[in-house]
Amino acid sequence: MPYPYQIKSYDQYKADYKKSIEDPAGFWGEIAENFTWRKKWDEVLNWNFTEPKVEWFKGGKLNITENCLDRHLEKHGDMPAMIWEPNDPEEHHRIITYKKLYEKVCQFSHVLKNNGVKKGDRVCIYMGMIPELAIAVLACARVGAIHSVVFGGFSAQSIADRLYDAQAEYIVTCDGAFRGAKDIPLKSVIDDALIGNRTVKKVIVCTRTRTPVSMIKGRDLWWEDEIKKVETMGLHDFPAEEMDAEDPLFILYTSGSTGKPKGVVHTCGGYMVYTNYTFVNVFQYQPGDIHFCTADIGWITGHSYIVYGPLSAGATTLLFEGVPTFPDASRFWDIVDKFKVNILYTAPTAIRSLMGYGLGPLQGKHLNSLKVLGTVGEPINEEAWHWYSEHVGKNNCPVVDTWWQTETGGTLISNMAGITPAVPSWATLPMPGLEMVLVDEKGQEIIQEGEETISGNLCIKGPWPGILRTTYGDHERCRTNYFATYPGMYFTGDGALKDKNGFFRITGRVDDVLNVSGHRIGTAELENAINMHSGVVESAVVGYPHDIKGQGIYAFVIYQGSHGQDTHGTAEMIRKDLNQTITRIIGAIAKPDKIQFVSGLPKTRSGKIMRRILRKIAEGDLDNVGDISTLLDPTVVEEIKRGKL
Ligand code: WTA
């Protein structure tokens, strides 16, 4: 068997789980033996959750790209590593073998080196979903630079903040990106982000849309020209930089309940072992299978299950540039049939949105290559789960509901396809190595008695190899965010149920983080953006249930003159202005679905906004806003209720 650690039965899962909890170091040490190390680790695990400090395979030397590329060359060099499907179905797709991908990564590694990139340098990558994005990511890893991929939907201001936080000196971008009917002018957004920037030395621009771009002498370089130089010199190999297992591999920014997004840091060894292990086990990957993860590489799902997990397992990974509804709502099904996709991994939002088109787009599609379906990013409702299983999987494919986070590196709770039981809308069982507990508000572990189902805040008692190590440049923030709420435990920020079988059902965030279409948005971050709009006095943002997006964004805004009307126009025009400000500061993904102008917000006497009340109003549960007697001015509640959108 190619993956000796692939779990093959429910009994084996139970045995492996037990072993992993009793002896984590023994368990993960054995799995790590299946990778290419230049030097073996000194110690499998060293940790405490007080500082916090977590080290896996410390002293072990490796380069993750030798595991993703070099080690597959001899036996599988001619196998497709990556299939790329462009946005426009009329344009030709690309198939890149392991040999070819190796060569391309080596060439771009030379380009990075020629331009001064060294081990430990931060490289910001802002590109559309083209193979060169994955190549840039892997080339950074090969030279030992720390990549920070920023999703193509973020604004110039968001990029500027991330460049500053990471003190990034290099950027890799494209002229533009195609997404559905849109062209996104990536380089122009980068140019805006660079106004006033003092750290960035070089910007490498890959051609995709050939939209006009400004190219500044000495700073901006064309990808193709740089590659040509390397080709002329006949360079096809690049000796990978030797990394310690605990050297940082990448930073990925994600929203939390306070302040600006934080840079989650993952390291080389543990992240590699964990993404590979979960990829092979959750999806039950078999050599030759075509794996199609529809996420963008700009999110953790793309990092772990388009790039590192599949490639370290020698798999074939499919990269799709476009969107599920372009040119029409059959696009996913056409791609599945065109490439005989075996594993399809997508988000509940995409499923719900495609459900809205009815069964027409599925007509005449075979989908008979599919073996496994997966979901990620948000809770999946039963209706969407059944639709996916029945109409896409033809009742013939296990559906894996994978729960995890940017901070966890890979899946923590999920059924394993066809191996452990699936229950609609339940993520079910923890991966081996994970001791998950539910705690009450005071941090007391909730103990299950008999067959009862318990409910609480989801925490984890010890480390797994894919856990974040720090938040870039601010370790204290990492501690307070994840390890201080419930001392001695990692707090996920999610609430969950646990039933008599030990299965978990994730109920959603319990902190001030929204999950809109599977994208994390911090309410504090969004309120800061809204408050920057001139005329806004104060604002409060809450989530409410949304049929397609899972959660919608509802903003309550106190605007000068309170009703959102001033000399600049009607409330509707002011709403558009506000959206423009949010798009500039964060990006279009953070635009509220509803903006209600109010003259006051429900506050306690100490000035704290009572979001619980606003949440009830946004949900439309007007009769159950609860006790309002402690409010400074209870009359605002009636006014807000009357004005509900
Ligand atoms: C939510 C995405 C329910 C959860 C990989 C988590 C889920 C946040 C699921 C992390 C799931 C993710 N069921 N909820 N299967 N998967 N979530 O960092 O609230 O973008 O905390 O990572 O998404 O979002 P992130």
Side-chain angles (χ1 to χ4, degrees):
M1 194 172 58
Y3 311 113
Y5 46 90
Q6 192 170 51
I7 292 175
K8 286 287 147 209
S9 68
Y10 195 10
D11 282 341
Q12 192 192 344
Y13 162 80
K14 289 178 192 158
D16 281 15
Y17 184 82
K18 185 163 179 283
K19 181 173 158 198
S20 72
I21 299 299
E22 285 166 5
D23 177 17
F27 179 80
W28 290 109
E30 218 170 276
I31 290 163
E33 298 281 356
N34 294 284
F35 294 80
T36 301
W37 299 86
R38 295 215 189 145
K39 175 185 164 285
K40 202 172 162 170
W41 50 89
D42 302 324
E43 196 182 6
V44 175
L45 174 61
N46 179 17
W47 71 287
N48 72 68
F49 273 178
T50 328
E51 292 176 56
K53 173 164 126 179
V54 178
E55 291 172 340
W56 283 95
F57 314 115
K58 179 108 174 130
K61 303 290 177 197
L62 78 159
N63 187 291
I64 195 168
T65 69
E66 289 186 335
N67 286 275
C68 290
L69 300 169
D70 309 41
R71 69 166 169 160
H72 308 309
L73 293 183
E74 201 180 314
K75 279 201 192 140
H76 307 297
D78 295 319
M79 236 186 66
M82 191 176 286
I83 299 174
W84 176 70
E85 170 71 5
N87 182 57
D88 177 357
E90 303 287 313
E91 187 182 340
H92 215 281
H93 65 268
R94 285 165 68 183
I95 294 180
I96 304 172
T97 62
Y98 270 96
K99 264 192 203 143
K100 201 71 202 161
L101 185 61
Y102 165 84
E103 187 180 284
K104 285 181 175 294
V105 170
C106 286
Q107 287 178 333
F108 197 64
S109 302
H110 279 289
V111 170
L112 292 174
K113 188 175 165 209
N114 291 346
N115 284 289
V117 179
K118 302 177 306 299
K119 178 175 177 176
D121 288 348
R122 276 80 52 221
V123 179
C124 170
I125 302 179
Y126 186 66
M127 300 171 85
M129 282 284 283
I130 55 175
E132 284 69 20
L133 165 53
I135 291 165
V137 163
L138 291 164
C140 284
R142 197 158 182 95
V143 305
I146 303 170
H147 56 78
S148 160
V149 184
V150 179
F151 173 61
F154 281 113
S155 68
Q157 183 63 52
S158 291
I159 301 166
D161 292 344
R162 286 158 173 75
L163 290 171
Y164 178 77
D165 188 81
Q167 293 288 295
E169 290 177 311
Y170 304 91
I171 297 178
V172 186
T173 187
C174 293
D175 49 357
F178 294 123
R179 263 177 80 80
K182 287 190 222 145
D183 282 1
I184 302 155
L186 298 176
K187 173 62 165 63
S188 155
V189 177
I190 289 290
D191 290 338
D192 288 344
L194 285 176
I195 295 170
N197 175 287
R198 287 165 186 278
T199 55
V200 172
K201 296 183 200 152
K202 291 277 166 70
V203 180
I204 301 173
V205 185
C206 181
T207 308
R208 173 61 184 135
T209 57
R210 205 50 197 97
T211 198
V213 289
S214 114
M215 294 291 284
I216 303 295
K217 193 183 289 171
R219 187 194 72 185
D220 299 349
L221 308 155
W222 289 108
W223 173 298
E224 295 76 12
D225 292 350
E226 294 302 296
I227 290 286
K228 200 154 277 151
K229 286 187 208 159
V230 172
E231 273 173 353
T232 318
M233 293 168 74
L235 298 169
H236 303 290
D237 298 290
F238 184 97
E241 183 74 28
E242 185 166 289
M243 307 293 281
D244 190 277
E246 279 300 328
D247 281 336
L249 174 64
F250 66 85
I251 305 172
L252 189 56
Y253 285 87
T254 189
S255 294
S257 48
T258 53
K260 288 207 187 280
K262 41 192 182 289
V264 167
V265 175
H266 284 287
T267 54
C268 298
Y271 175 80
M272 168 182 77
V273 170
Y274 196 70
T275 51
N276 176 292
Y277 179 83
T278 48
F279 172 74
V280 162
N281 278 297
V282 170
F283 301 111
Q284 289 289 304
Y285 187 84
Q286 298 303 319
D289 282 352
I290 313 266
H291 173 77
F292 177 19
C293 167
T294 71
D296 192 288
I297 293 179
W299 307 110
I300 190 69
T301 306
H303 281 58
S304 300
Y305 299 118
I306 296 178
V307 182
Y308 289 114
L311 295 178
S312 66
T316 300
T317 184
L318 196 154
L319 205 84
F320 172 41
E321 183 182 35
V323 297
T325 48
F326 181 84
D328 58 44
S330 306
R331 193 66 195 276
F332 276 0
W333 326 131
D334 289 335
I335 297 174
V336 168
D337 281 353
K338 178 173 174 185
F339 299 107
K340 308 223 170 343
V341 167
N342 305 108
I343 304 169
L344 175 65
Y345 189 35
T346 194
T349 294
I351 299 169
R352 287 192 296 261
S353 128
L354 293 173
M355 271 169 77
Y357 290 85
L359 296 178
L362 282 153
Q363 245 155 39
K365 313 296 167 191
H366 298 292
L367 306 183
N368 48 4
S369 54
L370 287 173
K371 297 200 290 193
V372 174
L373 302 177
T375 71
V376 58
E378 32 168 342
I380 181 161
N381 48 314
E382 288 194 34
E383 195 192 351
W385 194 100
H386 285 295
W387 188 89
Y388 194 34
S389 170
E390 196 177 319
H391 297 294
V392 181
K394 316 281 187 206
N395 293 321
N396 218 0
C397 302
V399 176
V400 292
D401 176 355
T402 67
W403 173 84
W404 56 295
Q405 309 179 300
T406 304
E407 295 84 347
T408 71
T411 296
L412 298 193
I413 305 182
S414 173
N415 48 316
M416 294 182 178
I419 302 294
T420 65
V423 185
S425 88
W426 287 69
T428 72
L429 293 164
M431 292 293 117
L434 282 138
E435 213 175 333
M436 322 274 320
V437 292
L438 298 181
V439 303
D440 64 18
E441 295 297 325
K442 294 191 196 91
Q444 283 299 316
E445 187 173 335
I446 302 169
I447 306 294
Q448 217 164 4
E449 283 174 25
E451 302 233 310
E452 67 172 347
T453 295
I454 53 171
S455 154
N457 294 343
L458 186 62
C459 292
I460 307 169
K461 278 190 166 169
W464 60 99
I467 190 175
L468 85 162
R469 301 303 195 265
T470 188
T471 46
Y472 194 79
D474 191 352
H475 194 61
E476 177 57 14
R477 192 158 177 215
C478 174
R479 190 186 71 80
T480 51
N481 258 285
Y482 306 104
F483 300 91
T485 317
Y486 304 115
M489 288 188 260
Y490 169 86
F491 176 41
T492 63
D494 279 314
L497 305 177
K498 185 181 179 193
D499 75 1
K500 60 175 195 273
N501 301 309
F503 292 0
F504 288 90
R505 176 185 188 145
I506 308 300
T507 48
R509 303 289 305 195
V510 294
D511 54 5
D512 288 323
V513 172
L514 306 182
N515 189 331
V516 180
S517 301
H519 298 158
R520 270 165 76 165
I521 298 168
T523 52
E525 192 191 342
L526 184 46
E527 286 163 8
N528 287 342
I530 295 174
N531 295 347
M532 281 176 75
H533 189 84
S534 81
V536 170
V537 180
E538 199 179 6
S539 64
V541 169
V542 296
Y544 69 97
H546 188 287
D547 284 348
I548 292 176
K549 300 178 178 183
Q551 259 188 326
I553 305 177
Y554 199 124
F556 297 89
V557 176
I558 307 178
Y559 194 81
Q560 274 166 6
S562 86
H563 291 290
Q565 272 189 9
D566 63 11
T567 47
H568 301 290
T570 61
E572 209 34 54
M573 290 166 88
I574 306 288
R575 281 195 185 97
K576 287 188 181 150
D577 290 347
L578 274 170
N579 277 328
Q580 199 65 19
T581 298
I582 294 161
T583 304
R584 288 261 172 225
I585 300 202
I586 304 176
I589 55 168
K591 279 198 288 200
D593 299 273
K594 296 182 179 178
I595 300 176
Q596 179 182 346
F597 294 106
V598 297
S599 63
L601 292 167
K603 287 190 180 171
T604 60
R605 291 198 180 88
S606 59
K608 197 169 155 315
I609 298 174
M610 297 286 279
R611 285 160 198 290
R612 168 176 64 76
I613 296 174
L614 294 174
R615 238 176 258 133
K616 284 286 179 197
I617 296 175
E619 284 166 13
D621 197 0
L622 300 186
D623 297 330
N624 288 308
V625 296
D627 182 16
I628 57 169
S629 62
T630 56
L631 293 183
L632 187 61
D633 175 12
T635 62
V636 294
V637 176
E638 278 312 311
E639 182 219 301
I640 298 175
K641 278 192 196 171
R642 276 197 302 276
K644 181 189 179 293
L645 299 173

